[in-house]
Amino acid sequence: MWYAITGVDIPNSLDKRKAARPAHLVRLQKLLEEGRLLLAGPFPAIDAEDPGPAGFSGSLIIAEFEDLEAARQWADVDPYRVAGVYREVTVRPFRQTLP
């Protein structure tokens, strides 16, 4: 089943994000290679494709996991979570309707 993982950043998270990003992307790339990643990306803190120093306010990942507990366990060890980028993480079942 698909699960939506939403991370909400701490204030001024950009430096921590930059430091943890390579490890974060490795995990996402693995999901992609396994055919388990629907989409992933950050929420810019301002209305801009590249928010510059304003940074990001969080992230969304939609990926396939065996069950809710497996999705939560994966999210709990995400490099952004471990590095303190996220102040809050939610994991919820997701059902794709379109496209």
Side-chain angles (χ1 to χ4, degrees):
M1 180 166 192
W2 294 110
Y3 293 89
I5 301 168
T6 307
V8 178
D9 283 23
I10 63 167
N12 304 309
S13 63
L14 189 56
D15 289 339
K16 287 185 178 191
R17 264 186 175 271
K18 287 179 180 178
R21 188 170 191 264
H24 174 75
L25 291 178
V26 165
R27 295 180 82 231
L28 292 174
Q29 185 64 40
K30 184 172 187 251
L31 289 176
L32 182 63
E33 290 167 2
E34 294 171 351
R36 297 173 44 210
L37 183 65
L38 183 62
L39 65 87
F43 298 115
I46 60 173
D47 188 12
E49 180 74 23
D50 178 359
F56 300 91
S57 62
S59 302
L60 173 64
I61 299 165
I62 299 180
E64 186 176 37
F65 293 93
E66 183 176 318
D67 55 31
L68 182 58
E69 185 57 31
R72 285 182 176 148
Q73 287 176 3
W74 187 91
D76 283 346
V77 295
D78 184 87
Y80 283 172
R81 178 79 164 174
V82 173
V85 172
Y86 295 148
R87 67 172 171 82
E88 177 185 338
V89 175
T90 58
V91 180
R92 296 180 287 185
F94 176 81
R95 190 182 79 179
Q96 182 179 6
T97 301
L98 293 171

